[in-house]
Amino acid sequence: AVTVGGCAAGAPDTVDPAPRAQAPAAAELTEADVTAWLDGVLPVALENTAIPGATVSVVHDGELLTARGYGWADTGVDGDRTAVDAEETLFRVGSVSKLFTATAVMQLVEAGEVDLDTPVEEYVDFAVPDSFDTRVTVRHLLTHTPGFEERVAGMIEMDGDSPDLREHLATDPPEQVYEPGTVPAYSNYGSALAGHVVERVSGVPFDDYVAEHILAPLGMDSSTFTQPLPEELRDRMAAGYTSTDADESAPFEVVAAAPAGALTASATDMGRFMLAHLGELDGEAALLADGTRELMHAPGLDHDALGALADGPRMALGFFEEDRNGHRVLGHGGDTNFFHSHLQIYPDHGTGVFVSVNGGGADDLDSLRLRESLLAGFADRYYPADDAADEPAGTATAVEHAAIAEGTYSSSRAMHSTFLAVLGPLGDQTRIVARDDGTILVTPGPETMTPAVYEEVAPWVWREVGGRRTLTMRVEDDRVTAIGYASAFALLPVDGVRDAGFTLPLVVGSVVLLLGAALSWPVAPLVRRRLGLGTRDRAGSVARVLTRVGAGLALVALAGWFTALNAVMQFAAVPAALLALLLAAQWAGVLAVVAAGVVLFDDIRRGSGWKRVLASALVLLGLVGVAVFAGLFGLLSFDLTY
């Protein structure tokens, strides 16, 4: 149920923008045409990416235009090979589930039982994370602006019992790191909290509420939030894989923050949901009155809250606002470990498309590229730009603004209070470089993982050259304080000491110094004996021993943190006891700075020779460097949750 962004800078600054394409004529969106197009695109895409299977549905003008299944729901590694059937085969839709949660909230808003601008604490029975005077409201939850840091511990378990939503939310919640309503920062916790509001106000468990008030009215009898799946649906579930080459399928994934990502559904069922949000269904199946649906689809925050970020794509109430060739699109993507999905509706055209796949592919980004290619291809075929040859007029301020924007940024969706903060310098930073022509080079480009060139098309609004993405910049005192992109995400400036350009050389250099010292210490007595230099004076031996032990533990701690980090990124649980040991080892390395200082002082005082003084100084520098890195990125935090 996660969405990713950002990796380290370091690509060249000579990226050439792609030429603008001439707008093609729109194809007629008919069952025959879209079916033929999908049949020509998806089988090849699955083969090229080594993704086992895909399911797709397209709605238009009030009907399910087509629903198609491709590839394998079961590759045969665990039994009989089974093809994907769009009506029968069930897929996990990940964070697309959030649209159902938001719809449930809006039903209660329509009924007068929930107010969007009432503090959430009035609807729940535990303390909501709170670091600012501004209270978190339901509107903040639906627009991903409650200000929470990211947490991933226990997000997805392999098999297991149905999780207790309240316990998940109330036990060690994330810290609030941004003032509510000001910084778009995608939050699974916030979405799950919105689901808990639904069950508290309605008086029934969240999955029961959705089943009764959304799934049943729409006839979505192949869909459920229940985990594990009800017995009558289990045999229809597609197996999840890393790729078609996987030698086994994955267990059923249990999402702890169920309202944020636990829905299981068929493509045809998702078609019914899209029709409801396009206003094509009547009676109980409409889900929301026209006015409520329009409110839900409108931007959820204005310039008063977001400032200049509101000049770009914004969150509606649950939906991401997107742009495809100048056409307004509302949508949401979703990922579990093994399933990857996206839903988009074109409110002005009565059209919707849903796609889901049951594997990540041979490359980490294959599933993302497949979905993006399919959705972009759909837009280009049926809703091309009115005139793609038109170019923005540009601005007189581009050169000046590009120079101000230059710097290093990190994603607002980040960990701040735990050891996962170390992800920042290890790959979650973006570098912006001003170019002589007033364009900016963004490395990596948001959502693309590749460098991209942007040009200013209005003051502090930048458009991807040869692309469709937009950046908006909020500026205070000639300093960029936030860059908006993709509705629920922002880039925030990184201060110099946390810039990967400083911290990575710092920690690598420090580790090299400590490793060199650690390797020399066992050899040094042998060298002294062979050269007849005798042994070192016993005076100061305690400080020397403490220095060596601390240096060794600092190195062990760093290695352990990075091993734990890799496990967490694979959604594997890391025992709290292990993290406690790593924390103790890291603190031992910090305390060894004092011992190393004593050793250096003693060597200088005793006139031990420049070589010994230099060696002691380098060890001290190494310990200080590791301690600074650990302090900057949460490796000394006593909060062992993540």
Side-chain angles (χ1 to χ4, degrees):
V2 291
T3 310
V4 295
C7 62
D13 61 358
T14 57
V15 176
D16 293 321
R20 298 184 185 277
Q22 184 68 35
E28 184 179 1
L29 182 52
T30 63
E31 178 184 0
D33 191 89
V34 73
T35 298
W37 179 74
L38 290 169
D39 288 351
V41 169
L42 268 172
V44 175
L46 294 179
E47 182 177 356
N48 289 342
T49 57
I51 292 174
T55 189
V56 185
S57 58
V58 177
V59 299
H60 183 61
D61 282 348
E63 64 178 0
L64 179 66
L65 204 60
T66 191
R68 308 289 289 168
Y70 300 93
W72 306 106
D74 189 319
T75 62
V77 295
D78 300 315
D80 296 332
R81 177 174 283 199
T82 306
V84 174
D85 183 300
E87 185 167 1
E88 290 295 317
T89 307
L90 308 184
F91 281 65
R92 307 303 303 280
V93 305
S95 287
V96 179
S97 308
K98 292 179 174 69
L99 298 179
F100 290 75
T101 301
T103 300
V105 170
M106 294 306 294
Q107 287 180 333
L108 296 175
V109 169
E110 182 175 298
E113 298 180 54
V114 169
D115 181 86
L116 289 171
D117 297 308
T118 292
V120 174
E121 59 196 15
E122 296 192 18
Y123 297 113
V124 299
D125 61 347
F126 56 84
V128 175
D130 168 16
S131 301
F132 298 86
D133 292 337
T134 304
R135 318 310 297 171
V136 174
T137 67
V138 177
R139 183 185 299 274
H140 295 146
L141 299 183
L142 298 187
T143 56
H144 288 288
T145 57
F148 302 137
E149 68 172 338
E150 183 63 284
R151 288 287 177 94
V152 298
M155 183 184 297
I156 297 179
E157 302 289 346
M158 299 303 168
D159 283 330
D161 298 327
S162 178
D164 183 295
L165 179 59
R166 184 194 180 282
E167 181 180 353
H168 173 77
L169 293 169
T171 303
D172 196 20
E175 289 190 7
Q176 188 182 60
V177 294
Y178 313 118
E179 183 177 357
T182 63
V183 177
Y186 190 88
S187 174
N188 285 302
Y189 182 87
S191 297
L193 188 55
H196 186 56
V197 169
V198 170
E199 62 182 15
R200 286 281 297 169
V201 172
S202 67
V204 299
F206 174 78
D207 55 344
D208 290 343
Y209 178 92
V210 173
E212 180 181 350
H213 295 276
I214 298 178
L215 304 182
L218 292 179
M220 295 179 65
D221 53 11
S222 296
S223 303
T224 183
F225 270 87
T226 301
Q227 303 177 103
L229 288 179
E231 186 174 352
E232 64 271 17
L233 296 179
R234 290 177 190 171
D235 291 342
R236 296 170 56 188
M237 181 68 214
Y241 301 89
T242 52
S243 70
T244 52
D245 298 326
D247 55 10
E248 63 179 356
S249 62
F252 183 83
E253 298 169 278
V254 175
V255 180
L263 179 66
T264 304
S266 68
T268 50
D269 273 9
M270 295 301 291
R272 297 183 182 96
F273 182 75
M274 290 190 287
L275 288 172
H277 270 282
L278 289 167
E280 300 288 359
L281 302 178
D282 298 323
E284 189 181 34
L287 299 183
L288 299 170
D290 290 347
T292 308
R293 190 179 65 256
E294 290 169 5
L295 173 63
M296 184 176 178
H297 291 177
L301 293 172
D302 58 18
H303 283 78
D304 289 341
L306 297 175
L309 300 187
D311 292 327
R314 284 179 280 174
M315 282 300 300
L317 297 176
F319 281 92
F320 280 69
E321 183 181 56
E322 305 179 46
D323 179 278
R324 296 283 176 172
N325 300 331
H327 301 276
R328 186 169 188 257
V329 175
L330 297 173
H332 210 298
D335 299 89
T336 69
N337 282 326
F338 305 101
F339 289 85
H340 311 278
S341 310
H342 208 112
L343 177 150
Q344 289 186 339
I345 60 173
Y346 292 69
D348 298 333
H349 302 285
T351 301
V353 56
F354 167 78
V355 59
S356 186
V357 299
N358 64 335
D363 183 87
D364 288 343
L365 296 178
D366 275 345
S367 68
L368 177 64
R369 295 187 184 112
L370 183 149
R371 287 173 288 164
E372 175 59 25
S373 177
L374 180 77
L375 296 172
F378 182 88
D380 290 344
R381 184 173 183 83
Y382 300 108
Y383 298 106
D386 292 336
D387 189 352
D390 282 351
E391 297 198 17
T395 65
T397 57
V399 173
E400 176 188 357
H401 289 177
I404 292 173
E406 189 167 78
T408 302
Y409 299 82
S410 63
S411 175
S412 59
R413 186 193 184 190
M415 298 76 164
H416 291 259
S417 64
T418 72
F419 76 93
L420 291 184
V422 78
L423 283 171
L426 294 182
D428 193 28
Q429 293 187 358
T430 297
R431 178 71 181 167
I432 292 181
V433 175
R435 306 192 342 159
D436 292 340
D437 60 357
T439 60
I440 55 175
L441 174 66
V442 185
T443 308
E447 303 180 283
T448 67
M449 304 303 181
T450 58
V453 175
Y454 284 77
E455 59 187 338
E456 192 176 49
V457 296
W460 300 113
V461 178
W462 304 76
R463 184 180 301 164
E464 184 182 14
V465 176
R468 62 177 182 80
R469 293 177 174 83
T470 299
L471 302 179
T472 54
M473 298 184 182
R474 187 165 65 203
V475 181
E476 298 175 11
D477 298 326
D478 288 333
R479 180 175 180 268
V480 174
T481 59
I483 300 176
Y485 72 95
S487 299
F489 297 88
L491 295 173
L492 305 178
V494 175
D495 60 59
V497 295
R498 287 180 170 81
D499 191 322
F502 169 77
T503 56
L504 291 184
L506 171 71
V507 71
V508 170
S510 299
V511 167
V512 169
L513 289 177
L514 294 184
L515 277 175
L519 293 174
S520 70
W521 284 327
V523 177
L526 299 177
V527 172
R528 287 197 297 270
R529 187 176 300 116
R530 178 174 291 276
L531 296 179
L533 299 177
T535 60
R536 291 197 67 172
D537 195 316
R538 294 183 61 84
S541 61
V542 173
R544 290 196 297 272
V545 169
L546 291 177
T547 298
R548 294 175 182 182
V549 170
L553 289 175
L555 292 172
V556 169
L558 285 179
W561 289 125
F562 291 123
T563 300
L565 184 66
N566 183 65
V568 170
M569 291 300 97
Q570 304 299 319
F571 290 102
V574 180
L578 174 59
L579 296 179
L581 288 174
L582 294 178
L583 177 64
Q586 196 74 70
W587 271 105
V590 172
L591 296 176
V593 170
V594 176
V598 171
V599 171
L600 176 60
F601 176 79
D602 187 60
D603 283 341
I604 295 173
R605 181 180 62 83
R606 294 168 60 83
S608 299
W610 70 269
K611 292 182 180 180
R612 184 163 292 170
V613 169
L614 177 61
S616 297
L618 292 177
V619 171
L620 177 60
L621 283 175
L623 285 168
V624 169
V626 170
V628 169
F629 181 82
L632 287 173
F633 297 106
L635 304 186
L636 299 177
S637 171
F638 290 96
D639 185 351
L640 297 178
T641 58
Y642 54 89

